[in-house]
Amino acid sequence: EIDYDETTPVDVDGEPGAASSLAVGQVVAVVADNGSQRLRARHVAVHAALRGPVSAIDSANGEIVVLGQRVQIGRGAIFHNEVAGTVQGVAGLGHDSFVRVHGLRAKDGVLVATRIDHVPPSDRVVVSGAMARDATGRVAVAGVKLADAVRPRPELATVAGSVHGMAAGRWNAAALWRSVRREGGSTAQERAPE
């Protein structure tokens, strides 16, 4: 258990948020101080694994696809509909519904969702996870490749193995990313064609 209150700084997907945006089922990273007998949060970062449009729904197997990533609906996963204000399961989603997915990756790379929020559409998509470079030097975050036109700044030159990070940008069957953030590091802006 970690204590926090309304004054605790919170970031949501790399943008300023509020403690009131914290919810059950989210995946968070917390910087905390060890108080007299309890931990006290100094900063909370909410990291959606994916935020973007649903491109496929398999209700029979409890799966959806977001940004080309297979998402298994975890047992007990929480659904929240910020669009209609009602809580609905997979049946409440349609092709191109915009969602924010929280969860953890299984060994096979499938995202097992702990929370899915149906959110208003946006031109900003987010993917969070292990960063890696392929043999051509192209960066991928959780298996989502950055657009060929994107040229990483020197801060990302050392990406290798399973460094955790977040990428945000526009999605059009390929990603045109505006920024990539290494976990625990600063944001490294990407150049992409307009």
Side-chain angles (χ1 to χ4, degrees), residues 21 26 31 39 42 44 50 52-53 64 72-73 86 96 106 110 113 115 127 135 148 167 177 188 194:
S21 60
Q26 292 175 330
V31 175
L39 290 173
R42 283 193 297 130
V44 179
L50 296 169
I64 60 175
Q72 176 72 49
I73 311 305
T86 59
D96 287 334
V110 172
R115 181 182 181 94
V127 61
D148 286 332
W177 302 104
E194 294 298 320

Side-chain angles (χ1 to χ4, degrees), residues 26-69:
Q26 292 175 330
V27 175
V28 300
V30 179
V31 175
D33 290 325
N34 190 2
S36 58
Q37 293 184 359
R38 300 181 63 91
L39 290 173
R40 173 102 183 116
R42 283 193 297 130
H43 183 265
V44 179
V46 180
H47 295 291
L50 296 169
R51 184 171 79 185
V54 173
S55 59
I57 300 171
D58 182 350
S59 296
N61 291 313
E63 292 184 353
I64 60 175
V65 176
V66 178
L67 303 181
Q69 301 289 295

